Amino acid sequence: VFTVDRLTEESQPIIQVLFGEVNLNLYSDANVLQSEESVTQGSSYANGQTEALSQEEEKDGLEEWDPGFTPQERVAKLDENKEERQEISDFAQNVHETIRDESEFRQQLKEEDFAAGRTLTDIHGNLVRVDQRLERPDSKTIQVVNVVKREGYSSSGLRRYAYAGPTTGIRRDVLIAKAEFNNALPEQVSEFPSYFEGKENKLDKTALILASNTGGADAVFTIGFFGKRDAATDDIKPDLYVGTLSKGSGFGGEFRNVYDLRIDDNKNVAGLSRFAEDTTIASVDVDGTGGDLYGYTAKRFLLKSDNTKKIWLAGEGFVINNSGKLRNVSDFTNSTNIEDALNNSAGQLAFFVKQDTANSPDLHADVTSAAYFAGGNTARNNIDIVLITDVVISMVKSFASGLGNISDGFE
């Protein structure tokens, strides 16, 4: 609803916007666009200036001026118009809040994206601090970083493979799971399904990196599975890479060099030795009994540059509660609140590189020689990761909250 008035024949028109919004395109006498103006509800425009309407101007403008109306009939719809104007105002406010919520949600996903932390006891009785984060280091990559900190390390409780490494000093173990695509990822998770439908968008590289450092020593024992897409088949078949890296400095601390690990076009990873799985011998896979969530495994690998050099990647896995006690399947099937059960649970994975003894993994002897992999492992370290589900729960809650805020704005 708007009015147009002229005080004289020669004067510029005066536009009063009483309800809604008027957009003006102003042209010269030569029909050239000179400017664009937007006059919003409750404003007047004249001679290039926008001013607020007075209450009396609004009232006069909104009255009904049909011939024959009495003064009472002219103002009869003013209250109704006032309610409609308030509804428009409320709707506009909801739209602005929705845009803000969506922007904040997108920014959280883009920059941080999700982070969580928990302190608990591991299966060995060590007090553990776990920090977990979902990140986007660049526009094409998404990764999960899981850092575990212990003040000293006791290995009691390992049921299969012996640990003979250092037990004193601050110990940190890290897991990095990374996926890199050939094109930039969407900023919003809601756009991921359409992104993956595009045949031109493909997973290009994958990496699962595990590393450990004790006491700040200049040695970071590292195990990784790196893969690069085969352009001919579009398949990614990761190989095992093992080595001991020097300690980094600056941002990232002792794991700086671990964060920088990349597979090149020739499938080499600087500082690590490449292995291929030995398919001529069976792997070892044993699960817990009676519903206990425990198991151990071992696979033999051959050094790519010399297949006479054999190692076993051995590991044990546990599902524990926050007190370090082994979980049973019944703890979850009998739970009335699955979120509480997950918040009181964690996964623990311990990895070793063991010597080959009579075609079996040696239960005690680690591979230490640098002839087998870059840097060797004279410290006889293992990698012991504690994984929490907090980031997954945080993601689900954040998605639900973000979608809820958006939908609330239009109700």
Side-chain angles (χ1 to χ4, degrees), residues 45-159:
Y45 177 85
N47 296 316
Q49 301 293 322
T50 303
E51 296 181 353
L53 294 176
S54 68
Q55 188 172 4
E56 189 64 25
E57 287 174 325
E58 284 194 282
K59 177 177 176 295
D60 290 343
L62 288 168
E63 287 182 3
E64 295 279 2
W65 287 102
D66 287 358
F69 271 29
T70 66
Q72 290 78 17
E73 288 174 327
R74 289 192 185 112
V75 298
K77 290 189 176 181
L78 288 182
D79 287 341
E80 180 182 338
N81 285 342
K82 183 178 179 181
E83 291 178 3
E84 291 177 354
R85 285 152 62 91
Q86 186 60 45
E87 288 177 2
I88 290 293
S89 177
D90 291 344
F91 177 78
Q93 182 65 25
N94 282 336
V95 169
H96 285 306
E97 291 177 356
T98 297
I99 292 172
R100 185 197 64 217
D101 290 339
E102 188 180 27
S103 176
E104 291 176 354
F105 183 57
R106 183 170 61 250
Q107 192 66 17
Q108 179 195 22
L109 177 67
K110 182 180 178 183
E111 292 184 355
E112 190 178 61
D113 291 294
F114 298 93
R118 198 195 306 178
T119 300
L120 63 142
T121 302
D122 69 11
I123 194 73
H124 318 298
N126 302 299
L127 187 65
V128 175
R129 172 65 187 178
V130 182
D131 289 298
Q132 193 176 76
R133 190 178 298 271
L134 178 67
E135 299 176 334
R136 294 205 195 174
D138 57 57
S139 63
K140 297 181 180 180
T141 306
I142 188 167
Q143 67 183 24
V144 173
V145 178
N146 190 97
V147 180
V148 181
K149 179 181 177 181
R150 297 175 175 90
E151 304 280 346
Y153 182 71
S154 167
S155 63
S156 59
L158 287 172
R159 302 182 179 185

Side-chain angles (χ1 to χ4, degrees), residues 102 105-106 109 136 185-193 406:
E102 188 180 27
F105 183 57
R106 183 170 61 250
L109 177 67
R136 294 205 195 174
L185 289 159
E187 289 189 356
Q188 299 185 61
V189 170
S190 60
E191 298 173 3
F192 274 27
I406 291 171

Side-chain angles (χ1 to χ4, degrees), residues 176 206-211 221-227 238-243 258 261 269 272-275 301 313 353 383:
I176 304 170
T206 62
L208 176 63
I209 310 168
L210 308 109
F221 182 52
T222 306
I223 297 170
F225 285 91
F226 292 82
D239 282 329
L240 172 68
Y241 295 78
V242 183
V258 175
L261 290 173
V269 178
L272 304 181
S273 298
R274 182 182 173 195
F275 291 81
F301 290 82
L313 179 62
V353 175
I383 299 169

Side-chain angles (χ1 to χ4, degrees), residues 348-387:
Q348 185 167 351
L349 303 170
F351 296 91
F352 307 80
V353 175
K354 294 294 187 182
Q355 294 181 19
D356 178 70
T357 303
N359 291 327
S360 294
D362 196 300
L363 300 185
H364 299 277
D366 297 306
V367 175
T368 59
S369 172
Y372 280 78
F373 57 80
N377 182 24
T378 56
R380 291 178 169 79
N381 216 343
N382 69 345
I383 299 169
D384 198 331
I385 301 292
V386 177
L387 286 164

